[in-house]
Amino acid sequence: MKYSKLGKTDIELSAVGLGCMGMSAAYGQADDTESIATLHRALDLGISFWDTADIYGNGVNEELISKVLVKNRYKIFIATKFGFRVRDGQGDAFVGGETYVDASPKWMKQAVDNSLRRLKIDTIDLYYAHRVDPNVPVEETVGAMSRLVEAGKVRYLGLSECTPEDLRKAYAVHPIAAVQSEYSLLTRDVEKEILPLTKELGITFVPFAPLSRGLITNKLDVSALGENDFRRNLPRYNGEYLDNNQKLVAEFAEFATGKNCTPAQLAIAWVMAKSDNIIPIPGTKRIKYLEENAGAADITLTAKDLEEIENLVEKYPNIGPRYSARENKFVKK
């Protein structure tokens, strides 16, 4: 595994991280045995950068990770997030729960202690505000988060899905080590402002869903998605958008074959090639996909490769919105 620095720190992280959201019920039935085996395999492969959140499985995801994290603490750089809450603590944020954003200092004080307890550790390596709270100035949220650093509960701070304006305001209060947003061949909004800004400020950009939630792999049988899989309601998995995207990924898979790699590896390598401050966190709960994703770190794309991929994507423009109305309300415009 290759390694990359976190922001302006001296911390070296695996060039490909691991998103752990899918180990909860968000992408269908959970499989704790396979998930734990996958976490152990990640250590074998040198994948040291793991990402979770308190809302994944309503805390269950952090508890699952703790079973491996505690005995391997100094091999793992653990990131978690706060800011999403489920009304009355019922259900899952991604499957039927009534979700709202609360990034207030009051909730943060409780949330961080809850995460530390579930993860069974003393300090969180990277703590994100999962969303910027529309009712709380970002300077107030980050100011409160900075006091967690002073207290030793958190090492570094991050923001998820923030605007450029929010990032500049936050950065003026306390150093921001990482910014996390969705970024893939099918979701490219960050290229306009937020990705260049992170590079300007010396911040690591962490793309989640670099495989377009499995769509770009050309292996996903959308008709077989489970009833509780939240992708069933996303526009890209339905109707004319799905038809467009299946044609796109089929041709993308042919291109990958020509590069002697899989579509998943090519998609992750494409993300990594877009800027030298990027560390993607493809998610999986299966060892075979983890091993496949890790191989992306060894793929080099030429300028001609990138141009051909760009031309391919332009042939199929009817990709569709990344979220339905339910999820889109949490993305600040």
Side-chain angles (χ1 to χ4, degrees):
M1 176 55 63
K2 297 176 181 177
Y3 292 85
S4 300
K5 279 193 175 183
L6 172 69
K8 294 180 179 179
T9 76
D10 292 327
I11 301 295
E12 295 278 340
L13 302 179
S14 53
V16 177
L18 173 60
C20 298
M21 185 179 101
M23 294 178 181
S24 63
Y27 290 143
Q29 189 65 38
D31 185 340
D32 288 357
T33 300
E34 177 69 10
S35 293
I36 289 173
T38 299
L39 292 171
H40 281 294
R41 182 60 179 146
L43 292 177
D44 295 339
L45 294 170
I47 299 175
S48 58
F49 184 27
W50 297 5
D51 181 273
T52 182
D54 60 2
I55 201 65
Y56 299 162
N58 206 16
V60 170
N61 199 254
E62 291 179 327
E63 293 174 346
L64 176 73
I65 289 170
S66 75
K67 296 177 181 180
V68 179
L69 176 63
V70 171
K71 294 181 180 179
N72 300 278
R73 182 65 187 99
Y74 298 105
K75 298 178 182 179
I76 301 163
F77 187 92
I78 188 71
T80 192
K81 302 179 277 292
F82 83 100
F84 271 141
R85 300 183 68 180
V86 179
R87 191 79 59 189
D88 301 322
Q90 300 299 311
D92 187 288
F94 300 96
V95 187
E98 184 184 348
T99 310
Y100 64 103
V101 174
D102 182 357
S104 65
K106 180 180 179 181
W107 170 244
M108 180 209 67
K109 291 177 183 178
Q110 183 177 339
V112 71
D113 286 340
N114 289 343
S115 287
L116 288 167
R117 173 178 50 79
R118 287 189 292 257
L119 291 166
K120 298 180 181 177
I121 57 177
D122 297 322
T123 305
I124 294 164
D125 295 312
L126 175 60
Y127 200 46
Y128 291 97
H130 210 152
R131 293 292 187 273
V132 175
D133 191 328
N135 300 311
V136 180
V138 69
E139 300 95 325
E140 186 176 332
T141 296
V142 174
M145 293 171 72
S146 72
R147 291 190 282 277
L148 298 180
V149 177
E150 295 169 2
K153 294 184 178 183
V154 170
R155 296 176 69 192
Y156 302 103
L157 303 185
L159 296 176
S160 180
E161 295 278 15
C162 63
T163 66
E165 294 76 18
D166 286 332
L167 179 55
R168 288 191 184 278
K169 291 176 182 178
Y171 191 81
V173 174
H174 189 276
I176 302 297
V179 166
Q180 182 177 126
S181 287
E182 185 169 349
Y183 185 34
S184 70
L185 276 164
L186 304 187
T187 301
R188 302 177 61 173
D189 295 342
V190 300
E191 291 179 350
K192 300 172 187 175
E193 295 184 80
I194 199 71
L195 179 55
L197 180 58
T198 58
K199 188 169 178 64
E200 173 192 328
L201 297 176
I203 296 170
T204 292
F205 183 76
V206 181
F208 67 83
L211 300 178
S212 305
R213 306 185 190 280
L215 196 56
I216 205 69
T217 65
N218 201 38
K219 296 177 181 177
L220 185 67
D221 182 358
V222 174
S223 65
L225 294 179
E227 184 178 344
N228 289 332
D229 193 314
F230 94 112
R231 292 173 292 183
R232 286 170 59 95
N233 298 316
L234 298 182
R236 291 174 181 172
Y237 295 78
N238 293 279
E240 61 178 329
Y241 301 133
L242 178 61
D243 181 62
N244 176 88
N245 295 334
Q246 287 178 327
K247 291 175 181 176
L248 189 162
V249 301
E251 193 165 335
F252 185 74
E254 292 179 10
F255 189 89
T257 299
K259 291 291 294 182
N260 296 313
C261 64
T262 68
Q265 290 171 333
L266 182 60
I268 296 168
W270 176 88
V271 166
M272 296 172 70
K274 300 300 284 187
S275 184
D276 60 9
N277 67 323
I278 288 178
I279 303 179
I281 49 168
T284 186
K285 57 186 172 187
R286 304 294 181 194
I287 289 175
K288 63 178 181 179
Y289 297 135
L290 176 81
E291 293 174 341
E292 180 181 355
N293 295 344
D298 297 319
I299 296 172
T300 300
L301 298 181
T302 65
K304 187 175 185 297
D305 290 331
L306 295 174
E307 181 182 357
E308 290 185 26
I309 292 171
E310 200 70 42
N311 292 337
L312 190 162
V313 174
E314 289 177 0
K315 283 177 61 178
Y316 301 99
N318 198 23
I319 290 169
R322 66 166 169 146
Y323 284 144
S324 64
R326 178 181 184 270
E327 291 82 19
N328 203 50
K329 67 183 179 180
F330 298 115
V331 179
K332 192 172 180 181
K333 304 299 183 184

